[in-house]
Amino acid sequence: MKTVNTTAITEAVARMSQEANYYLGQDVLEGFQKALDEEISVTGKEILQQLIENAKIAREELVPMCQDTGYAVIFVELGQDVRIEGGDFYEAIHEGVRRGYTEGYLRKSIVSHPLERKNTGDNTPAVIHTKIVPGETLRIIIAPKGGGSENMSQIKMLKPADGIEGVRKFVIDTVRSAGPNPCPPIVVGVGIGGTFEKCAQLAKEALLRELGEKSKYPDIAKLEQELLEEINKLGIGPQGLGGKTTALAVNIEIYAAHIASLPVAVNLNCHAARHKETVF
């Protein structure tokens, strides 16, 4: 049985909180370059060049790629043969976020009460999703989520009779209504199936996938490609100023559904598609 101390967890989360905001993933950078090569809008090309330069400056100067350094969303895969020692597991994660955002001078965006709106001052608490998995490995992923793109996300309880066309229409309508607000080019995470809350989590998990990685289900992979093509025909373009690059990817995750339900969630991510992980 592997033992992991909470001190190591806190240190890892603190480091990842900063790295996720400083270093944009290579897959996203390659997505920008591919979009730049294919974009037909002069303005769109200029914006994509600026996004590439912005990511370079963030990486070299260790500054956030976006002023909205996000809500710290944490995904945990905890091996059932792992023992956590040294304190409370969740508090260790919160403390890592607290240190990372404070010591890294990252913007603190979290209010303790959704109606009273008083800032916590340290970007805690984090949102933590935990899965118990076989083995003795602990995997922690942090995905800072900006408010602008999160606000444009939607969920809908479709009827089973709505079928694939209902899903397609809802995804396209969500992106169309979002327009420039989620700071395109976006990554579109889609969850289909499960229950009301499960499909929303699926949509967020879909955003963790590497750009270019398709669903393991052939019919879903086909739908991902069709939706990406349809979204990029909307003409919203980089930063909403026109062009063919509205989205870099559409990622869909599915789950079993009740015979009476067809839940669908769309979680939009801005061009700063950030996530970092540590495996113990």
Side-chain angles (χ1 to χ4, degrees):
M1 175 175 284
K2 177 182 287 186
T3 299
V4 180
N5 194 282
T6 52
T7 299
I9 293 170
T10 294
E11 291 173 353
V13 172
R15 171 178 51 79
M16 289 191 295
S17 295
Q18 296 176 25
E19 290 181 351
N21 279 290
Y22 300 157
Y23 306 122
L24 193 59
Q26 186 61 32
D27 60 326
V28 181
L29 291 172
E30 291 174 0
F32 286 166
Q33 187 60 55
K34 182 176 183 292
L36 177 61
D37 294 339
E38 297 177 355
E39 182 56 68
I40 56 176
S41 163
V42 174
T43 301
K45 281 183 174 293
E46 290 178 354
I47 292 170
L48 288 165
Q49 288 172 333
Q50 289 170 2
L51 292 179
I52 293 170
E53 178 65 17
N54 181 72
K56 179 175 181 288
I57 293 171
R59 180 173 63 252
E60 293 178 350
E61 299 188 14
L62 300 182
V63 293
M65 65 190 76
C66 177
Q67 52 86 21
D68 185 349
T69 52
Y71 207 131
V73 182
I74 311 289
F75 294 88
V76 175
E77 292 182 2
L78 177 61
Q80 60 191 22
D81 296 323
V82 175
R83 178 176 178 271
I84 305 298
E85 68 173 12
D88 183 278
F89 177 64
Y90 288 134
E91 181 49 40
I93 292 176
H94 292 312
E95 179 61 20
V97 171
R98 186 176 294 115
R99 291 185 191 177
Y101 275 76
T102 301
E103 295 171 4
Y105 300 99
L106 304 177
R107 196 184 82 180
K108 289 78 175 176
S109 303
I110 307 306
V111 295
S112 57
H113 189 298
L115 299 180
E116 294 176 357
R117 314 302 294 179
K118 182 179 179 181
N119 199 298
T120 64
D122 56 16
N123 221 61
T124 66
V127 168
I128 306 172
H129 303 288
T130 305
K131 288 182 180 178
I132 306 299
V133 298
E136 54 178 24
T137 296
L138 170 61
R139 182 185 185 206
I140 301 177
I141 303 172
I142 181 169
K145 191 65 167 64
S149 59
E150 191 77 350
N151 288 349
M152 295 297 103
S153 303
Q154 295 190 37
I155 186 170
K156 188 169 185 178
M157 304 302 289
L158 297 177
K159 298 182 292 295
D162 292 324
I164 190 170
E165 290 308 316
V167 171
R168 190 191 308 273
K169 183 177 185 304
F170 176 60
V171 174
I172 297 297
D173 286 350
T174 298
V175 175
R176 181 186 289 111
S177 65
N181 294 311
C183 295
I186 57 176
V187 179
V188 183
V190 181
I192 306 174
T195 53
F196 180 86
E197 80 284 0
K198 178 64 176 179
C199 74
Q201 186 170 338
L202 288 171
K204 182 140 294 181
E205 289 176 353
L207 297 174
L208 301 178
R209 197 192 301 169
E210 292 275 309
L211 263 61
E213 179 186 347
K214 294 300 181 183
S215 171
K216 63 182 180 181
Y217 303 102
D219 60 329
I220 299 300
K222 181 173 181 288
L223 180 59
E224 289 173 339
Q225 183 59 37
E226 291 173 348
L227 285 170
L228 179 61
E229 292 173 1
E230 291 181 46
I231 286 170
N232 284 331
K233 290 177 182 177
L234 294 175
I236 296 169
Q239 295 298 294
L241 295 177
K244 63 179 293 185
T245 314
T246 299
L248 299 175
V250 176
N251 298 337
I252 302 174
E253 297 294 334
I254 64 172
Y255 200 75
H258 191 282
I259 57 173
S261 302
L262 179 56
V264 183
V266 179
N267 196 205
L268 302 182
N269 206 45
C270 65
H271 66 268
R274 305 162 285 191
H275 50 87
K276 295 296 177 184
E277 70 174 78
T278 295
V279 178
F280 294 89

